[in-house]
């Protein structure tokens, strides 16, 4: 009897529970004036429906399986990049670019850290065009001019760093190229380049003794030049005076002296970097037109002749001269006794014994120097 009563109570509880559930999830009546889908939603839900077919969509990349191991990225509605760092040979690269590409105008081609691709020849990139090509840290030893011919009208930057290339591709055909970085390759001689558009040239990491006088003669738009971490030992007059240079970096070379009128700079905030060389002497007028930053730290300067340095400081040039073994005798009295000019040296200049310029006693120079 007790068991029967227990079953009866359980059935009653179950029926009551089902009734509660039914009430909680009973469908609401639809409003008779609900003419749009959003009218059927609760107040805290937003549904956005657009019939505007003019909204842009991302450019479709090629079929991912067709171009493996390359990878395509739709960066925006009008921009695609492609990375082919994992190709195993020139033949595989050529096969990739022989596939169907819905759109052929790319922003950037990247190949980095590839030790299997030795050559890039005509036709290897199919019909595709690029605004930027970046190949670095690779085993590339040959780059035919014809490999880039489809990009003559589109290429803006060509970056070829730390490969095994022995020559720079012919750049005169590129109508929009403004930047070329050809650092740490296998160039033997300083290249003679021709371009009416090139504005930035980077050539770092070569064993060159000097830069030819006419090295930049056929680069009328050149503004920025970096020839750092080479072995330059001498600068020839007029090498850096015939272009509209606004930025010159010759840091970390072996330069020992600067010729008169060695540099001619343009612009209101230009930069000349000569730090980490072996410079011992700088004649007056060597830095004509320098108005921004002049970096001469870590050289072998022992004196600061007034006729060379005072005009620069009076023109508010930002001068950096730390790490030079200055004797700090009467030859710098003009500087120590002028706190305004002394304050325009923008690093911790010191004497050969490590004493900072700002710690030198002006009284010494007032009483012991004929100034």
């Amino acid at each position: 009897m007790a068991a029967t009563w227990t079953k009866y109570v359980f059935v009653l509880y179950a029926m009551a529970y089902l009734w509660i559930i039914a009430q909680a999830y009973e469908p609401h009546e639809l409003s008779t004036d609900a003419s749009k889908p959003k009218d059927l939603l609760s107040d805290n839900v937003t549904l956005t429906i657009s019939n505007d077919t003019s909204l842009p969509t991302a450019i479709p990349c090629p079929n991912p399986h067709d171009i493996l191991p390359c990878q395509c990225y739709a960066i925006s509605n009008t921009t695609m990049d492609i990375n082919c760092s994992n190709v195993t040979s020139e033949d595989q690269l050529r096969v990739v670019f022989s596939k169907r590409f819905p759109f052929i105008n790319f922003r950037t081609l990247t190949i980095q850290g590839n030790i299997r691709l030795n050559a890039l020849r005509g036709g290897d990139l199919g019909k595709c065009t690029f605004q930027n090509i970046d190949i670095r840290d690779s085993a590339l030893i040959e780059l035919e001019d014809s490999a880039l011919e489809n990009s003559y009208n589109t290429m803006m930057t060509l970056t070829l760093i730390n490969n095994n290339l022995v020559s720079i591709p012919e750049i005169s055909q590129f109508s929009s190229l403004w930047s070329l970085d050809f650092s740490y390759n296998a160039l033997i001689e300083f290249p003679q380049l021709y371009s009416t558009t090139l504005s930035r040239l980077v050539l770092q990491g070569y064993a060159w003794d000097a830069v030819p006088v006419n090295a930049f003669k056929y680069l009328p738009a050149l503004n920025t030049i970096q020839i750092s971490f080479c072995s330059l030992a001498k600068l020839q007059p007029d090498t850096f005076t015939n272009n509209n240079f606004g930025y010159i970096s010759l840091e970390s070379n072996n330069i020992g002296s600067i010729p008169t009128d060695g540099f001619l700079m343009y612009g209101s905030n230009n930069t000349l970097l000569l730090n980490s060389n072996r410079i011992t002497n700088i004649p007056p007028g060597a830095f004509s037109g320098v108005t921004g930053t002049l970096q001469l730290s870590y050289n072998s300067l022992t004196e600061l002749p007034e006729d060379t340095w005072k005009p620069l400081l009076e023109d508010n040039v930002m001068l950096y001269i730390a790490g030079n073994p200055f004797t700090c005798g009467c030859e710098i009295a003009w500087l120590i006794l002028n706190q305004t000019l002394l304050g325009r040296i923008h690093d911790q200049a010191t004497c050969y014994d490590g004493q900072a310029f700002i710690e030198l006693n002006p009284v010494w120079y007032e009483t012991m120097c004929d100034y």
Side-chain angles (χ1 to χ4, degrees):
M1 182 68 177
T4 301
W5 174 253
T6 300
K7 290 181 180 179
Y8 178 73
V9 171
F10 178 80
V11 171
L12 289 176
Y13 274 110
M15 293 176 64
Y17 178 78
L18 291 174
W19 182 84
I20 293 172
I21 294 297
Q23 293 297 313
Y25 290 93
E26 182 179 5
H28 298 285
E29 285 190 22
L30 295 180
S31 172
T32 56
D33 60 352
S35 59
K36 299 179 181 178
K38 65 180 182 180
D39 296 328
L40 307 181
L41 301 174
S42 58
D43 293 338
N44 60 346
V45 177
T46 301
L47 175 65
T48 301
I49 298 178
S50 175
N51 295 320
D52 187 356
T53 58
S54 66
L55 292 176
T57 57
I59 295 176
C61 282
N63 186 319
H65 298 290
D66 286 347
I67 64 171
L68 285 175
C70 296
Q71 294 176 300
C72 175
Y73 305 93
I75 304 302
S76 72
N77 296 323
T78 59
T79 305
M80 294 186 302
D81 290 349
I82 188 167
N83 188 316
C84 291
S85 297
N86 294 323
V87 294
T88 58
S89 67
E90 175 194 350
D91 291 338
Q92 186 181 52
L93 186 68
R94 180 182 287 265
V95 169
V96 166
F97 282 96
S98 69
K99 299 295 184 178
R100 180 181 180 276
F101 280 64
F103 297 92
I104 61 173
N105 299 326
F106 284 84
R107 182 181 67 170
T108 302
L109 166 65
T110 301
I111 301 176
Q112 294 187 7
N114 188 299
I115 60 173
R116 296 182 177 87
L117 183 67
N118 295 314
L120 196 58
R121 299 187 175 94
D124 285 351
L125 300 177
K127 298 179 180 179
C128 292
T129 71
F130 305 95
Q131 296 177 34
N132 314 288
I133 288 182
D134 188 335
I135 304 175
R136 65 178 72 197
D137 305 321
S138 81
L140 194 67
I141 60 175
E142 182 182 1
L143 176 55
E144 290 186 354
D145 295 339
S146 57
L148 308 178
E149 62 184 3
N150 290 336
S151 299
Y152 281 162
N153 295 325
T154 60
M155 186 84 71
M156 294 188 293
T157 70
L158 181 57
T159 303
L160 302 165
I161 301 175
N162 196 27
N163 305 295
N164 292 310
L165 295 166
V166 297
S167 62
I168 296 177
E170 175 56 58
I171 64 172
S172 62
Q173 297 296 318
F174 294 104
S175 60
S176 301
L177 185 68
W178 69 269
S179 175
L180 172 64
D181 191 334
F182 200 83
S183 299
Y184 300 100
N185 279 280
L187 286 176
I188 302 300
E189 298 181 350
F190 199 95
Q192 183 71 72
L193 300 175
Y194 301 83
S195 173
T196 60
T197 62
L198 192 69
S199 174
R200 175 178 180 265
L201 176 62
V202 184
L203 298 169
Q204 298 187 141
Y206 296 102
W208 293 325
D209 179 69
V211 178
V213 174
N214 294 326
F216 315 117
K217 180 179 180 180
Y218 305 105
L219 301 172
L222 193 61
N223 173 269
T224 298
I225 176 71
Q226 293 176 245
I227 310 175
S228 307
F229 302 96
C230 295
S231 301
L232 299 182
K234 57 185 177 181
L235 298 179
Q236 303 183 71
D238 298 324
T239 303
F240 297 93
T241 60
N242 295 321
N243 293 72
N244 295 317
F245 288 118
Y247 182 99
I248 300 174
S249 175
L250 298 173
E251 60 182 321
S252 299
N253 283 292
N254 295 320
I255 299 168
S257 62
I258 306 296
T260 302
D261 298 324
F263 297 91
L264 179 59
M265 304 288 287
Y266 293 88
S268 58
N269 191 26
N270 48 48
T271 297
L272 175 57
L273 305 181
L274 288 162
N275 50 295
S276 301
N277 277 280
R278 299 179 180 180
I279 299 170
T280 59
N281 180 54
I282 298 175
F287 304 127
S288 178
V290 175
T291 58
T293 299
L294 177 55
Q295 173 61 268
L296 281 156
S297 301
Y298 302 101
N299 276 280
S300 301
L301 296 171
T302 59
E303 298 183 354
L304 290 171
E306 182 176 2
D307 53 354
T308 297
W309 300 101
K310 188 174 182 179
L312 294 170
L313 293 175
E314 288 179 336
D315 287 340
N316 290 306
V317 169
M318 297 176 63
L319 181 62
Y320 295 82
I321 53 174
N324 285 279
F326 294 111
T327 56
C328 295
C330 289
E331 74 280 352
I332 64 168
W334 68 271
L335 178 61
I336 302 303
L337 296 177
N338 190 323
Q339 293 299 304
T340 298
L341 297 184
L342 183 60
R344 292 176 183 168
I345 295 177
H346 288 262
D347 57 4
Q348 186 75 324
T350 60
C351 306
Y352 71 95
D353 58 359
Q355 187 172 16
F357 278 23
I358 59 175
E359 297 173 351
L360 297 174
N361 190 342
V363 175
W364 301 345
Y365 296 89
E366 290 175 345
T367 60
M368 302 177 66
C369 296
D370 183 14
Y371 182 76

